[in-house]
């Protein structure tokens, strides 16, 4: 909650609507000085005042309470990706981190390597796209060979594994929700 500045949000929404401070105060039936104090962060509005302002600005009340996101934290530079290696398979995290409900990574599987000895399952849905090479994917009892350009959706809790028994490296771009590795 430390990144929330309700006053700045009220001011931003007010300006987006093209209202002056006096107009918004009149529409919301609060004093202009109260609105000024809220926007400058001097006064904290009550929940009732937030509801009135939200209605006057035609925005959901909760929009005043959402944390600000530093957009710099959303960008992952090529040379700053987080990497991890699990039993000879490397993962390059394309998402900034494992927070949120979605994570995306590139899985690099060298020849003669499998993602696990047995089929595994997890609670998240997964969509994978083969960037490079060939790969065998096991989905429950079925086996499929995927090549560059092919993709697969793996529903939550479906048992699966990846196996590269081909000559070259396979690179698979995948997204999983919620993040699980």
């Amino acid at each position: 909650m430390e990144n929330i500045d309700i006053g700045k949000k009220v001011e931003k929404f007010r300006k987006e609507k093209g209202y002056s401070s006096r107009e918004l105060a009149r529409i919301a039936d609060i004093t202009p000085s109260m609105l000024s104090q809220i926007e400058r962060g001097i006064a904290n509005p009550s929940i009732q005042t937030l509801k009135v302002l939200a209605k006057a600005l035609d925005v959901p009340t909760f929009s005043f309470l959402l944390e600000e996101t530093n957009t710099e934290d959303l960008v992952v530079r090529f040379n700053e990706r987080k990497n991890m290696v699990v039993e000879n398979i490397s993962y390059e995290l394309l998402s900034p981190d494992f927070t949120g409900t979605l994570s995306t990574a590139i899985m690099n599987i060298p020849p003669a390597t499998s993602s696990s000895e047995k089929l595994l399952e997890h609670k998240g849905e997964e969509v994978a796209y083969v960037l490079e090479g060939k790969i065998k994917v096991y989905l429950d009892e079925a086996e499929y060979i995927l090549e560059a350009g092919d993709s697969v959706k793996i529903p939550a809790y479906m048992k699966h594994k990846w196996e590269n028994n081909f000559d070259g490296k396979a690179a698979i771009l995948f997204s999983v929700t919620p993040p699980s590795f």
Side-chain angles (χ1 to χ4, degrees):
M1 298 288 282
E2 63 200 41
N3 293 336
I4 298 174
D5 187 333
I6 293 172
K8 280 196 184 350
K9 290 184 183 209
V10 170
E11 181 181 32
K12 178 182 139 227
F13 292 135
R14 175 180 60 77
K15 288 180 176 177
E16 285 174 2
K17 288 286 186 190
Y19 293 148
S20 69
S21 294
R22 289 200 179 279
E23 283 179 290
L24 178 57
R26 181 184 54 75
I27 294 167
D29 197 26
I30 61 174
T31 65
S33 65
M34 172 56 101
L35 179 59
S36 174
Q37 290 175 12
I38 291 169
E39 287 187 354
R40 291 183 294 147
I42 296 170
N44 286 318
S46 68
I47 295 294
Q48 185 57 38
T49 300
L50 279 181
K51 285 181 180 179
V52 169
L53 286 169
K55 184 172 180 165
L57 293 166
D58 193 30
V59 298
T61 305
F62 72 84
S63 62
F64 296 123
L65 304 174
L66 296 174
E67 286 193 50
E68 294 294 319
T69 300
N70 180 354
T71 56
E72 271 186 38
D73 295 340
L74 303 176
V75 176
V76 178
R77 301 287 178 196
F78 171 78
N79 60 343
E80 296 174 353
R81 288 183 191 156
K82 294 176 178 130
N83 291 292
M84 59 185 178
V85 178
V86 179
E87 296 184 24
N88 211 20
I89 297 176
S90 70
Y91 297 86
E92 299 173 54
L93 188 61
L94 302 179
S95 307
D97 51 38
F98 294 113
T99 62
T101 58
L102 173 72
S103 193
T104 302
I106 297 173
M107 177 172 53
N108 296 293
I109 305 177
T113 304
S114 179
S115 62
S116 63
E117 288 184 30
K118 61 181 186 163
L119 299 177
L120 300 176
E121 63 184 309
H122 51 78
K123 73 177 183 175
E125 273 189 306
E126 190 172 334
V127 173
Y129 173 82
V130 181
L131 294 168
E132 172 187 341
K134 278 185 181 180
I135 193 77
K136 184 186 284 187
V137 63
Y138 294 81
L139 302 174
D140 284 335
E141 304 299 319
E143 299 175 18
Y144 299 92
I145 295 175
L146 303 179
E147 297 186 39
D150 293 341
S151 60
V152 61
K153 178 180 178 181
I154 304 170
Y157 298 107
M158 177 171 278
K159 292 184 182 215
H160 64 284
K161 80 172 183 175
W162 302 92
E163 186 176 85
N164 184 355
N165 50 14
F166 303 99
D167 293 333
K169 171 188 105 169
I172 293 95
L173 172 71
F174 70 94
S175 294
V176 63
T177 178
S180 59
F181 286 92

